[in-house]
Amino acid sequence: MASNSSEDEVLVSDDDDSDIPEQAVCKKLVEEFADITDTNTALAQFYLQDRNWELDLALNAFYERDISAESESNNLNKCEQVAGGSVCSAEQPATKKQKTKHLVDTASSSSVASCSSEPSVDRPESETKLSENRARLKLISWNIDGLDPTSIKNRTKAVYKVISDEKPDVVFLQEVIPQTFAYFETRFEDTYECIAGNDSGYFTAMLLKKATLRLKDFYLIPFYSSEMSRNLLVVKAEMGKDHCLHLITSHLESTKEHAAERKKQLKAAFEQMKEADNASTVIFGGDLNARDKEIDDIGGLPADVYDLYEVTGSRPECKYTWDTMRNSNSDFPGKFRPRCRFDRLYMRQCQPPVHLQPLHFGLIGLEKVANCQCFPSDHWGIMVNFEVL
C-alpha cells in the first residue's frame, strides 16, 4: 500500500468518478478496441478508462497519437542491447525461511479474463519471426495489498485466478499475510514452490514454477535500520542445466517521509545485484516505493543493470502501478490524485552467452473483482515476458 506520494499528481474534480459499465460490457469494449486497432488489452483499457468507456472517443484518441515505426525500432534495439550481457562478481548469504514450489508452461497466453488482462506483445513482424519456436519465461511482480481487510477473501481469490490464468514461471509478491500465503500454498501445492519471507505480520513471498525451474536456495537479507521490518528475499534457481537465476524481491520502506531509509535499501539491493555470481541472470524488483529522483540521488542504476520497463519501450499505459486516477481501492479524497511507478523490475545479465532477453512489459489486475466492485489490489501487477536464448 502506498500513500503520501505525489510523483505525478493529477488534478481531477471530486465528482470525476463516472459510472463504469458492467464487467461484461467492459470486456466486450476492450476486445473490440484491441481488435480494431490490432493492439492489446492493456492499451485498450488505458484509452477506454480515460474516456469513460466511450469506444468512439477512445479510438479517435488512439489514431490521433503518432506511434512511429522508429519508436518500435528503438525499443527493439534496447532489448538487443540488454541481451548483450554484462559481467559482475561474487554473492552473499543471510537467513532462511519457508518453502513450497510450482512452475507452469511459459508459452504466452490469455485475453481479458474476469480479473486479468494479458497485454499481447506488440512487436514488429521481424521480431515475431525471430522469436518463433523459442522458449519463454514469464515473471509477475505484485503488491497484493494484504493489509487492507476490505473484501480480502474475494481479492485473494482474484489474485489466485490471475496467476493461474497467466501461468507465470516466477511470481514476486509483496504485502502478503499468513492467511493469503496459506491459501496460495494449498492451491499451488502441485505446481509452484512457495517461499515466504515470514510467517507473521505482512511480508514478501515468491512462487517458482516446478515444471520449468528448480529451487536451489533461498534466504533473507534484513534491513536492520528499517522501521517497517523490510528486507530482501533472495531465491536461487536453475532453468535447465545451464541457466542460473538469482531472484530478489522486496517491499522497500514506504511513504515520502522515509525516503532516506528507502534510498539506503535501494543501494543495498543494487549492491546485491552487482555482487551476484557472474554465471547468474539477476532480477530484482517488487514494490520499491521508489521515485525517479531517488534513483538519481543514489547515483543512478549501476552499470549493466537495466530497468525492464524502460528497455521494453516505456509504454505510457504501463507506467503507473499505483494509480488513484484509475484504481479506486484507495480512497483518496480531494482534487489531487497521485499516480506513481512504485513497482519496478531491474535486470543484470549473466556473463555471455546471455540466457534471457526481455520482450514485453505489461500490467495485470486491471479489472474489478466480480461481486465486490473493487480491484484485486490497490496496485496493478507488472508482468514481463522473456525469450530464453
Side-chain angles (χ1 to χ4, degrees):
M1 237 195 256
S3 60
N4 285 340
S5 140
S6 58
E7 180 181 300
D8 184 8
E9 290 184 330
V10 182
L11 180 63
V12 295
S13 63
D14 291 337
D15 57 355
D16 197 44
D17 291 327
S18 53
D19 293 336
I20 298 174
E22 292 295 323
Q23 184 173 346
V25 176
C26 291
K27 178 180 177 180
K28 186 174 184 299
L29 290 169
V30 165
E31 290 172 342
E32 193 171 348
F33 181 101
D35 184 55
I36 292 170
T37 59
D38 193 26
T39 56
N40 60 70
T41 55
L43 188 67
Q45 291 202 19
F46 174 77
Y47 276 95
L48 286 163
Q49 285 179 342
D50 261 7
R51 289 152 190 90
N52 295 327
W53 295 90
E54 293 288 341
L55 182 60
D56 289 342
L57 293 177
L59 288 170
N60 289 340
F62 173 80
Y63 286 116
E64 286 169 6
R65 179 183 169 196
D66 181 24
I67 306 176
S68 67
E70 180 184 1
S71 168
E72 289 283 5
S73 171
N74 289 340
N75 296 344
L76 182 55
N77 288 339
K78 285 182 181 178
C79 289
E80 289 169 347
Q81 181 185 10
V82 176
S86 60
V87 183
C88 298
S89 54
E91 59 188 289
Q92 238 172 306
T95 55
K96 284 199 177 182
K97 200 52 209 145
Q98 168 189 0
K99 69 175 178 182
T100 304
K101 283 184 193 180
H102 182 189
L103 293 185
V104 232
D105 222 31
T106 53
S108 239
S109 65
S110 228
S111 56
V112 182
S114 62
C115 302
S116 154
S117 71
E118 155 79 48
S120 59
V121 182
D122 305 328
R123 298 192 301 278
E125 186 179 348
S126 59
E127 185 189 354
T128 303
K129 289 179 179 176
L130 180 69
S131 302
E132 273 181 351
N133 302 320
R134 293 287 184 89
R136 297 290 175 83
L137 182 135
K138 182 185 290 188
L139 184 147
I140 283 173
S141 180
W142 202 354
N143 178 327
I144 58 173
D145 195 17
L147 290 178
D148 183 358
T150 306
S151 302
I152 185 65
K153 289 184 179 179
N154 285 334
R155 292 192 300 105
T156 298
K157 290 177 181 177
V159 171
Y160 165 75
K161 186 179 188 313
V162 171
I163 295 172
S164 298
D165 289 347
E166 296 296 347
K167 299 178 172 57
D169 301 279
V170 181
V171 183
F172 294 171
L173 296 173
Q174 304 86 44
E175 269 193 45
V176 182
I177 57 174
Q179 300 92 316
T180 299
F181 183 77
Y183 182 88
F184 293 154
E185 193 172 29
T186 300
R187 280 150 184 81
F188 286 133
E189 182 178 4
D190 296 329
T191 46
Y192 285 91
E193 189 85 51
C194 302
I195 303 109
N198 207 332
D199 55 11
S200 62
Y202 69 100
F203 45 89
T204 58
M206 205 178 296
L207 310 182
L208 296 185
K209 193 178 186 180
K210 292 177 179 178
T212 51
L213 298 178
R214 184 168 71 88
L215 176 65
K216 290 180 64 182
D217 194 15
F218 59 94
Y219 49 89
L220 286 177
I221 300 176
F223 293 130
Y224 292 108
S225 56
S226 171
E227 295 181 26
M228 304 176 187
S229 303
R230 304 295 166 88
N231 52 47
L232 298 176
L233 173 59
V234 182
V235 171
K236 296 181 183 181
E238 286 181 343
M239 180 174 53
K241 291 182 179 178
D242 304 319
H243 297 185
C244 296
L245 296 178
H246 191 106
L247 305 167
I248 310 170
T249 190
S250 189
H251 184 188
L252 300 186
E253 214 81 355
S254 303
T255 75
K256 204 184 281 187
E257 290 74 16
H258 292 89
E261 172 62 23
R262 182 165 52 251
K263 286 188 278 190
K264 282 174 56 179
Q265 295 169 1
L266 271 170
K267 288 181 73 171
F270 289 146
E271 281 301 312
Q272 287 296 312
M273 295 188 75
K274 289 163 56 179
E275 294 172 3
D277 183 6
N278 290 341
S280 296
T281 300
V282 187
I283 301 175
F284 160 60
D287 178 5
L288 307 185
N289 284 303
R291 287 74 166 167
D292 290 341
K293 183 180 182 302
E294 294 172 358
I295 304 292
D296 294 338
D297 288 347
I298 62 172
L301 298 181
D304 301 325
V305 170
Y306 301 92
D307 184 325
L308 289 174
Y309 168 73
E310 293 178 355
V311 299
T312 52
S314 302
R315 294 192 299 145
E317 66 270 20
C318 297
K319 181 175 183 179
Y320 301 112
T321 62
W322 186 72
D323 188 349
T324 62
M325 287 185 65
R326 294 190 177 87
N327 190 317
S328 55
N329 282 26
S330 294
D331 184 15
F332 214 95
K335 294 184 177 182
F336 289 97
R337 297 185 187 174
R339 50 201 324 225
C340 305
R341 189 163 76 96
F342 283 151
D343 304 84
R344 302 181 182 218
L345 286 166
Y346 297 102
M347 179 179 185
R348 191 218 72 184
Q349 289 283 13
C350 64
Q351 61 188 6
V354 300
H355 301 324
L356 293 178
Q357 177 173 338
L359 293 178
H360 182 258
F361 185 105
L363 301 180
I364 57 172
L366 300 171
E367 292 192 16
K368 288 194 172 181
V369 182
N371 304 321
C372 67
Q373 285 305 297
C374 63
F375 293 96
S377 172
D378 61 341
H379 287 243
W380 306 137
I382 55 179
M383 180 168 69
V384 179
N385 285 283
F386 299 87
E387 183 174 34
V388 180
L389 304 175

